């Protein structure tokens, strides 16, 4: 054997020895996660099942999800006649091909006016218990009704904002569809909001490589992605799951991450406007991370262009620390752990079938 | 055995003499109990046994307070000095809610 061929072997041997030195940390696959639960990082392990979402998102008693309601809501979601100008639909800012967000750092209304925040993804939003970056909507129905109002995201911005709600009642196809979906209920803002919400509850991602790995498919994740998951849940690593908690990668809670924009004059105070409690100044809702690779840019202010920049932000422990969440601190993560975190988040995307746009009634 | 037992009893008694009248736990992102009935002047100790920090606040008229953020193992006390119903929440996790009924 030549020296050259021996070199890799020598390297491998050294690597093995140095890995052995790290043994205490890696010896067992068990880890106490950010929830304080002992979990075993192995495909299909019982302790990981808490990450799986139920098959369908829960729906309220007065708007139980039915296929008719979802189909009707899907039409309305894509119909610009729902807006006062007839030029904006919900999908203007929540596009299926952009991870149900819009690809802009901050959303842009039909008149070109830039909104103050980024469009959040709608993926799995039906599983969450509070809506909007600042939680001002307790339910999807509440959010949809607000969005359709004259000053809501569908309208507003113009000099004389009007709502397009009345348009819908004049379209026979909708009147009939409402009669089937909500027999005996009037066609008004409340029922429009119900139908749209039923559709939103059907925007579900629960079959990502990570989900398949949790169900027991050992080949679903790469070794790097498994490493990323470990970093994600390890309180001494990324400590991500303390906020991006199972099953939907959110605690439905509010945190100030010390983003640069909080240091500006008159910053967006987020949740504080809804609940004037000191620690909520600059706090925003923890978003889900399923399908997150599809919805760049990131954060409520669109300040991170990609997932690598998100991770870099967390590694710094937050830039503006005047009201930082107690869960934020500089992270001792090397380049490999950071790359692994990104790789893990990329494994949270459910492979999509081609999205079929609805046919709108004439 | 006997003296030790006596000593232990003493320790327990003196500890409870300083303790609050009631303890509310924060565990699994929930308050336990979720409803509490106390008398004016009673003190309630809010204790965090989760690994994640919690907050306790109320904007109710009989008692407005904000205990800030506190971590696992920490606890903070509130004395309820006026009668009425006090709605208590964790600002970080709005699903965490409880109410304290303060009676005359
Ligand atoms: Cu809490």
């Amino acid at each position: 054997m030549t020296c050259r061929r021996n070199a890799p072997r020598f390297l491998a041997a050294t690597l093995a020895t140095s890995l052995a030195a790290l043994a205490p940390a890696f010896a067992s696959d068990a880890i106490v996660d950010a929830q304080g639960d002992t979990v075993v990082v192995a495909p299909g392990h019982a302790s990981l099942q808490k990450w799986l979402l139920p098959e369908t998102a829960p729906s309220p008693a007065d708007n139980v999800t039915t296929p008719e309601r979802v189909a009707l809501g899907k039409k309305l979601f894509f119909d610009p006649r729902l807006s006062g100008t007839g030029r904006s639909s919900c999908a203007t800012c929540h596009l299926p091909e952009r991870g149900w967000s819009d690809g802009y750092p901050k959303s842009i209304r039909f008149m070109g006016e830039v909104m103050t925040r980024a469009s959040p993804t709608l993926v799995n939003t039906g599983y969450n218990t509070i809506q909007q970056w600042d939680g001002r909507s307790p339910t999807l129905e509440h959010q949809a009704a607000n969005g359709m109002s004259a000053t809501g995201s569908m309208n507003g911005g113009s000099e004389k904002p009007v709502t397009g709600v009345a348009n819908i009642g004049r379209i026979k196809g909708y009147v009939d569809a409402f009669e089937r979906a909500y027999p005996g209920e009037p066609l008004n803002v409340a029922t429009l909001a119900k139908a749209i919400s039923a559709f939103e509850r059907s925007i579900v991602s629960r079959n990502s490589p990570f989900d398949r790995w949790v169900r027991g498919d050992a080949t679903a994740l790469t070794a790097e992605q498994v490493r990323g998951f470990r970093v994600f849940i390890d309180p001494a690593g990324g400590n991500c799951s303390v906020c991006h908690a199972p099953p939907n990668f959110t605690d439905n809670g509010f945190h100030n991450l010390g983003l640069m924009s909080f240091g500006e004059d008159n910053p967006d105070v987020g949740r504080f406007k809804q609940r004037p409690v000191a620690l909520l100044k600059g706090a925003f809702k923890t978003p889900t991370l399923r399908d997150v690779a599809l919805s760049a840019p990131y954060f409520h202010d669109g300040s991170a262009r990609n997932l690598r920049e998100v991770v870099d932000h967390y590694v710094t422990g937050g830039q503006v620390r005047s009201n930082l969440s107690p869960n934020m601190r500089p992270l001792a993560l090397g380049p490999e752990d950071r790359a692994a975190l990104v790789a893990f988040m990329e494994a949270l995307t459910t492979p999509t079938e081609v999205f079929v746009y609805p046919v709108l009634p004439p | 055995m006997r003296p030790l037992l006596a000593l232990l009893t003493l320790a327990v008694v003196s500890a409870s003499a300083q303790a609050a009248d009631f303890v509310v736990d924060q565990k699994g992102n929930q308050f336990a109990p979720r409803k509490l009935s106390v008398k004016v002047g009673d003190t309630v100790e809010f204790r965090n046994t989760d690994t994640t920090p919690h907050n306790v606040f109320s904007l109710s008229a009989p008692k407005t307070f904000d205990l800030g953020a506190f971590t696992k193992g920490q606890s903070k006390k509130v004395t309820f000095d006026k009668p009425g119903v006090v709605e208590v929440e964790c600002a970080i996790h709005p699903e965490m809610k409880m109410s304290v009924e303060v009676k005359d």
Side-chain angles (χ1 to χ4, degrees):
Chain A
M1 274 195 203
T2 66
C3 239
R4 227 179 246 172
R5 285 172 80 191
N6 262 336
R9 223 186 258 181
F10 171 71
L11 221 120
T14 336
L15 208 78
T17 338
S18 46
L19 274 180
L22 291 172
F26 289 91
S28 134
D29 274 336
I31 178 174
V32 177
D33 71 8
Q35 271 68 47
D37 297 334
T38 301
V39 301
V40 175
V41 183
H45 196 272
S47 61
L48 299 177
Q49 302 308 303
K50 64 178 181 176
W51 287 96
L52 294 181
L53 284 165
E55 203 161 319
T56 52
S59 55
D62 68 346
N63 193 22
V64 174
T65 305
T66 66
E68 291 78 19
R69 292 172 177 181
V70 173
L72 170 58
K74 182 173 178 181
K75 289 180 201 290
L76 292 166
F77 189 91
F78 289 93
D79 198 331
R81 290 172 291 183
L82 196 59
S83 69
T85 56
R87 297 222 212 115
S88 176
S89 76
C90 305
T92 302
C93 305
H94 303 284
L95 292 90
E97 61 270 31
R98 294 229 181 259
W100 297 92
S101 178
D102 60 9
Y104 296 116
K106 284 172 185 165
S107 281
I108 301 169
R109 290 193 217 240
F110 61 95
M111 299 293 278
E113 179 212 2
V114 180
M115 295 176 79
T116 55
R117 294 175 187 158
S119 163
T121 178
L122 300 187
V123 170
N124 290 351
T125 195
Y127 291 97
N128 296 342
T129 53
I130 194 157
Q131 303 295 330
Q132 305 280 28
W133 283 115
D134 55 9
R136 65 185 180 278
S137 290
T139 61
L140 283 174
E141 283 80 358
H142 180 278
Q143 191 287 325
N146 270 358
M148 285 184 284
S149 73
T151 51
S153 52
M154 290 283 276
N155 308 300
S158 68
E159 276 162 23
K160 271 197 208 143
V162 283
T163 150
V165 167
N167 299 340
I168 301 302
R170 290 194 282 268
I171 301 165
K172 181 160 186 313
Y174 276 128
V175 175
D176 295 346
F178 263 98
E179 194 41 47
R180 282 194 301 276
Y182 295 97
E185 291 187 50
L187 199 173
N188 56 23
V189 178
T191 38
L192 281 164
K194 280 188 186 179
I196 292 172
S197 302
F199 168 63
E200 290 174 306
R201 292 190 177 98
S202 76
I203 305 172
V204 167
S205 166
R206 57 186 292 281
N207 200 23
S208 66
F210 171 67
D211 292 295
R212 294 200 298 277
W213 182 81
V214 168
R215 287 192 209 107
D217 179 353
T219 64
L221 292 188
T222 66
E224 187 188 32
Q225 288 165 336
V226 174
R227 177 183 181 151
F229 174 57
R230 181 187 274 275
V231 173
F232 191 88
I233 61 171
D234 185 355
N239 198 33
C240 314
S241 72
V242 71
C243 302
H244 297 281
N248 199 22
F249 290 87
T250 175
D251 56 355
N252 288 293
F254 297 85
H255 312 271
N256 180 321
L257 300 189
L259 298 176
M260 271 306 210
S261 60
F262 188 59
E264 291 164 4
D265 290 342
N266 282 319
D268 186 343
V269 294
R271 181 68 175 160
F272 184 75
K273 263 204 170 151
Q274 310 301 315
R275 294 277 186 286
V277 177
L279 60 77
L280 293 177
K281 227 175 245 174
F284 293 84
K285 193 185 66 181
T286 311
T288 183
L289 297 182
R290 276 199 181 73
D291 281 11
V292 72
L294 305 178
S295 63
Y298 302 109
F299 294 133
H300 77 274
D301 59 359
S303 58
R305 283 172 298 182
N306 49 48
L307 291 174
R308 201 175 40 76
E309 288 189 0
V310 169
V311 171
D312 288 348
H313 171 79
Y314 284 112
V315 170
T316 67
Q319 274 124 342
V320 178
R321 303 194 179 171
S322 50
N323 199 34
L324 198 62
S325 154
N327 277 322
M328 292 289 292
R329 53 175 161 72
L331 305 175
L333 298 179
E336 277 155 14
D337 280 337
R338 296 185 207 183
L341 265 181
V342 172
F344 168 63
M345 287 191 276
E346 284 166 351
L348 297 176
T349 307
T350 296
T352 40
E353 301 130 44
V354 175
F355 184 80
V356 182
Y357 279 85
V359 177
L360 304 182
Chain B
M1 238 11 219
R2 278 268 160 87
L4 186 67
L5 201 74
L7 212 78
L8 269 174
T9 324
L10 199 79
V12 168
V13 168
S14 62
S16 64
Q18 293 174 7
D21 304 292
F22 298 91
V23 175
V24 172
D25 208 4
Q26 293 164 285
K27 197 170 169 46
N29 278 18
Q30 293 298 342
F31 286 109
R34 303 227 197 136
K35 273 209 159 96
L36 192 63
S37 182
V38 308
K39 285 208 283 298
V40 171
D42 281 349
T43 296
V44 177
E45 177 178 346
F46 292 92
R47 185 174 62 192
N48 183 2
T49 42
D50 274 337
T51 41
T52 182
H54 289 299
N55 158 269
V56 182
F57 81 94
S58 177
L59 302 176
S60 299
K63 188 77 190 179
T64 304
F65 62 92
D66 172 10
L67 303 186
F70 49 116
T71 53
K72 186 181 170 93
Q74 286 187 323
S75 70
K76 293 186 181 177
K77 291 175 194 167
V78 177
T79 301
F80 292 88
D81 33 29
K82 280 187 203 133
V85 175
V86 181
E87 302 292 347
V88 175
E89 255 184 72
C90 164
I92 304 170
H93 309 108
E95 279 173 283
M96 295 177 64
K97 282 186 180 143
M98 62 121 18
S99 69
V100 180
E101 192 187 353
V102 189
K103 289 181 177 154
D104 246 329

